Amino acid sequence: MKKTYSLIAILAAVMLSATLVSCDDGWVPAPGPGPGNTFYDYSLTGCWELYQVNSTPVLPSEMNWMEFNGNGRGWYYYLRNGAPYEERMNYWCEYSYNSVSDYQINISYGNGSPTTMNYWFTHGGNYLWMQWYSYNHGTTTYVYRSVSGLPQPR
């Protein structure tokens, strides 16, 4: 009888853990579109692969990918010492009133580091340009290209 209870307890624990993994974990994206200047740009939806930084092609060891899932949720995938990593990100957009772009994107990564960048599209929406300024590094321009999916692990 004791073995039956142990088996039932193990099965219940497994079912509970599966339920907890599949339920909403309380992660809330950045502020949603509201009155005024903020919105979600559905042109961003999909997978984007880093193509170049400051007009220099990206080496395979420096690749990263952004996956915008809509409604402010997404994922950032990158390589560190050849090993793949992923972080949640949330985002929202706003109209910009500067000479660089009509739009800005605000991204917060899972590690907590937020950034705001100007962005625009070229080549029929297949290339996403993101530019930010840092006092220490000056202006950095990233170019991402639209890809049909994320690369599969080798």
Side-chain angles (χ1 to χ4, degrees):
M1 190 65 135
K2 195 172 192 178
K3 288 183 181 180
T4 303
Y5 287 123
S6 296
L7 181 58
I8 290 172
I10 291 170
L11 288 173
V14 168
M15 289 174 58
L16 179 61
S17 66
T19 302
L20 291 175
V21 168
S22 64
C23 69
D24 183 11
D25 60 4
W27 176 58
V28 179
N37 198 29
T38 63
F39 61 97
Y40 296 132
D41 188 342
Y42 293 100
S43 299
L44 292 165
T45 303
C47 295
W48 300 89
E49 177 180 74
L50 185 61
Y51 178 67
Q52 65 183 27
V53 177
N54 291 335
S55 302
T56 302
V58 176
L59 298 172
S61 62
E62 298 170 338
M63 295 296 293
N64 70 57
W65 299 263
M66 299 178 100
E67 182 178 28
F68 295 97
N69 296 326
N71 295 321
R73 294 178 183 249
W75 289 90
Y76 176 60
Y77 304 93
Y78 58 97
L79 300 173
R80 182 185 304 153
N81 297 325
Y85 288 86
E86 63 183 28
E87 289 182 38
R88 288 181 181 172
M89 66 177 194
N90 59 48
Y91 64 94
W92 54 278
C93 304
E94 61 186 317
Y95 295 102
S96 174
Y97 303 102
N98 61 46
S99 61
V100 176
S101 168
D102 292 335
Y103 308 105
Q104 289 183 324
I105 186 168
N106 301 278
I107 299 176
S108 291
Y109 298 95
N111 69 11
S113 60
T115 187
T116 299
M117 295 178 276
N118 294 298
Y119 77 96
W120 63 95
F121 299 95
T122 62
H123 299 84
N126 291 312
Y127 285 81
L128 167 63
W129 296 67
M130 302 174 101
Q131 186 178 79
W132 66 280
Y133 175 80
S134 162
Y135 181 76
N136 295 334
H137 298 99
T139 300
T140 304
T141 304
Y142 300 97
V143 180
Y144 285 83
R145 61 182 171 192
S146 178
V147 293
S148 59
L150 299 170
Q152 299 301 314
R154 297 177 190 223

